[in-house]
Amino acid sequence: MHLRSKLPAVGTTIFTVMSKLAADVGAINLSQGFPDFDCDPALVDAVARHMREGRNQYAPMQGVPALRQAVAATLEALYGAAYDPDGEITITSGGTEAIFDAVAALVHSGDEAIVFEPCYDSYVPAIEVNGGRAVVVSLRYPDYRVPWDEVRAAISPRTRMIVLNSPHNPTATILSESDMTELTRIVDDSGVTILSDEVYEHIIFDGARHESMARYPALRAHSFIVGSFGKTYHVTGWKVGYVAAPAALSAEFRKVHQFVTFSTNTPVQHALAEFLADGRGYPGLSAFYQRKRDLFLALIEGSRWKPLLSRGTYFQLLDYSAITDETDMDFALRLTREHGVASIPTSAFLYTQTAPPVLRFCFAKKDETLESAATRLRDL
Ligand code: GLN
């Protein structure tokens, strides 16, 4: 049978490839971003309690009210943004679903969406499978700053959306206040919609402030903001996230969400609502991960790996140019097979640039995992 693929250039995601290879060869897995330690046992107890109490049927399509209220209260407390939990917050089955739904809701056939490479690997396929065209603006190694003049030049009458991500996966950079000023000018001039992937909002280092779109009324009015409980509560496998957006955008978003997943896991939403309403989890998260970042860096200090500054997320880019001139993919595979440490090559997030000599390592790991990995990395 001849199939005409809608995504001919897409294979299996790098996360699945590298995590499988790590498992097959018994490597330490610092590739796919997930903690190797457990969440708060009280959170598991809460899910079990809600299951035992019979909250096992479909949740409302928009999400459990208590969780939507807790999300709205958190956005208000952290960013001074008033979102209506009924009409402006939607609970999704993870950040990736939220990103897909937002794109599907807005991008018409032939529309353009601006993305910044390296970018998370679901953005471009989400745009293309919905008939859109991804217009790629390059963030360049080693600073990965947003080139705002290039962004302005990339805007056309067909531009429907700009996809932003801060703290940024995989570069671990963050948007600054002056970036937000530049973005505001562009949005004022073009009326373009923003898809803001803020799933690492609570993991930001060295005292920096997370520049959420929610802080800026002029940006908030045009934005889908995507959040994730997986990152915040160490439960990436539960696949629960949310979207905050003004009522008109949320209404279009829900038209898609209701036919993609309909609704999200009920007992998990109830448990997360309790934790979030109590302000648990996120307040200490930056300090928790900053300590892990610093431990990982201290452990590889003096080796031939050169760290780039990680300002947020739980990822660290390491420059390997003093070790080899292999491509990042070749080296990532060899590093996994021969040295027992799995990472992510940033070429998986690139579309137009040649990959720089860096690999992405996830430090959301037990100290002993980081110690074992560092011992292996130091040998190179
Ligand atoms: N966001 C995670 C990462 O960047 C992976 C998510 C996934 O595997 N789909 O590693």
Side-chain angles (χ1 to χ4, degrees):
M1 184 172 50
H2 177 69
L3 288 179
R4 215 173 116 230
S5 175
K6 293 187 78 177
L7 296 170
V10 169
T12 303
T13 97
I14 191 68
F15 307 114
T16 301
V17 170
M18 294 308 297
S19 279
K20 178 173 186 307
L21 180 62
D24 288 350
V25 304
I28 299 170
N29 189 3
L30 305 190
S31 66
Q32 194 176 24
F34 63 88
D36 72 344
F37 43 85
D38 255 330
C39 67
D40 186 335
L43 188 55
V44 174
D45 290 345
V47 174
R49 169 166 42 80
H50 286 292
M51 285 181 166
R52 275 195 301 270
E53 288 172 2
R55 296 189 186 89
N56 298 305
Q57 309 309 328
Y58 297 125
M61 177 275 280
Q62 313 80 318
V64 163
L67 184 54
R68 284 186 278 118
Q69 283 152 16
V71 169
T74 307
L75 290 168
E76 171 110 55
L78 294 178
Y79 310 125
Y83 282 95
D84 166 19
D86 290 330
E88 300 186 316
I89 307 286
T90 308
I91 307 302
T92 61
S93 300
T96 303
E97 193 228 334
I99 288 160
F100 185 89
D101 294 353
V103 172
L106 274 236
V107 173
H108 291 245
S109 177
D111 281 352
E112 294 174 356
I114 295 177
V115 298
F116 298 91
E117 68 170 358
C119 66
Y120 187 59
D121 70 341
S122 85
Y123 300 169
V124 171
I127 294 161
E128 291 179 346
V129 83
N130 285 294
R133 190 169 85 82
V135 174
V136 178
V137 173
S138 292
L139 308 178
R140 290 190 185 82
Y141 161 91
D143 295 329
Y144 297 105
R145 263 192 227 107
V146 179
W148 288 108
D149 47 343
E150 290 176 38
V151 181
R152 269 187 292 277
I155 300 266
S156 86
R158 314 213 73 154
T159 309
R160 182 74 55 182
M161 188 176 253
I162 300 187
V163 187
L164 288 134
N165 171 218
S166 181
H168 186 262
N169 179 9
T171 68
T173 57
I174 56 175
L175 291 174
S176 67
E177 206 175 334
S178 80
D179 288 322
M180 304 308 266
T181 307
E182 296 277 3
L183 182 61
T184 305
R185 263 185 227 137
I186 287 173
V187 169
D188 284 349
D189 293 347
S190 64
V192 68
T193 299
I194 298 168
L195 173 52
S196 185
D197 175 352
E198 303 186 14
V199 298
Y200 299 100
E201 65 183 317
H202 302 303
I203 310 177
I204 194 149
F205 306 136
D206 307 316
R209 168 179 116 148
H210 171 54
E211 295 293 353
S212 176
M213 298 301 150
R215 286 188 193 280
Y216 299 86
L219 295 175
R220 181 160 88 221
H222 288 264
S223 296
F224 292 104
I225 297 176
V226 177
S228 164
F229 300 105
K231 279 76 179 167
T232 304
Y233 291 108
H234 312 313
V235 289
T236 62
W238 291 4
K239 296 295 295 179
V240 185
Y242 65 86
V243 162
L249 289 177
S250 286
E252 293 305 314
F253 180 91
R254 289 174 178 184
K255 288 182 191 176
V256 176
H257 163 71
Q258 67 185 341
F259 295 124
V260 172
T261 56
F262 177 62
S263 68
T264 296
N265 188 307
T266 308
V268 166
Q269 287 193 63
H270 283 286
L272 289 169
E274 288 174 11
F275 266 56
L276 190 62
D278 283 351
R280 294 170 77 166
Y282 64 86
L285 205 61
S286 291
F288 174 81
Y289 277 124
Q290 184 168 323
R291 194 193 67 78
K292 293 220 175 265
R293 176 198 67 172
D294 292 347
L295 171 67
F296 185 50
L297 291 180
L299 289 166
I300 59 162
E301 208 185 317
S303 72
R304 291 195 289 170
W305 297 90
K306 198 174 115 240
L308 278 66
L309 182 59
S310 170
R311 302 174 59 107
T313 73
Y314 42 50
F315 303 119
Q316 173 69 55
L317 287 185
L318 296 179
D319 182 317
Y320 62 78
S321 55
I323 299 170
T324 176
D325 54 15
E326 286 162 280
T327 66
D328 66 347
M329 189 65 186
D330 287 349
F331 185 41
L333 293 173
R334 191 169 68 81
L335 186 65
T336 311
R337 292 195 182 109
E338 293 178 13
H339 299 276
V341 182
S343 61
I344 295 287
T346 67
S347 52
F349 304 86
L350 293 173
Y351 295 86
T352 68
Q353 298 178 56
T354 312
V358 291
L359 295 175
R360 190 198 81 175
F361 294 83
C362 173
F363 54 78
K365 304 293 166 191
K366 293 176 196 144
D367 289 0
E368 47 279 29
T369 308
L370 296 174
E371 280 156 18
S372 309
T375 305
R376 297 176 184 190
L377 293 175
R378 290 178 64 92
D379 280 344
L380 277 107

mmCIF file of all heavy atoms in Angstrom, residues 93 312 314:
data_model
loop_
_atom_site.group_PDB
_atom_site.id
_atom_site.type_symbol
_atom_site.label_atom_id
_atom_site.label_comp_id
_atom_site.label_asym_id
_atom_site.label_seq_id
_atom_site.Cartn_x
_atom_site.Cartn_y
_atom_site.Cartn_z
ATOM 1 N N SER A 93 -3.636 16.895 28.681
ATOM 2 C CA SER A 93 -2.852 15.682 28.948
ATOM 3 C C SER A 93 -1.393 15.946 28.582
ATOM 4 O O SER A 93 -0.863 15.405 27.606
ATOM 5 C CB SER A 93 -3.440 14.504 28.179
ATOM 6 O OG SER A 93 -4.772 14.306 28.610
ATOM 7 N N GLY A 312 18.207 27.981 33.415
ATOM 8 C CA GLY A 312 16.894 27.449 33.793
ATOM 9 C C GLY A 312 16.694 26.115 33.106
ATOM 10 O O GLY A 312 17.542 25.694 32.321
ATOM 11 N N TYR A 314 16.015 21.799 33.515
ATOM 12 C CA TYR A 314 16.945 20.879 34.184
ATOM 13 C C TYR A 314 17.921 20.269 33.203
ATOM 14 O O TYR A 314 18.300 19.114 33.314
ATOM 15 C CB TYR A 314 16.235 19.847 35.061
ATOM 16 C CG TYR A 314 14.983 19.168 34.574
ATOM 17 C CD1 TYR A 314 14.887 18.575 33.324
ATOM 18 C CD2 TYR A 314 13.882 19.054 35.449
ATOM 19 C CE1 TYR A 314 13.735 17.918 32.929
ATOM 20 C CE2 TYR A 314 12.720 18.394 35.064
ATOM 21 C CZ TYR A 314 12.660 17.835 33.795
ATOM 22 O OH TYR A 314 11.525 17.170 33.419
#
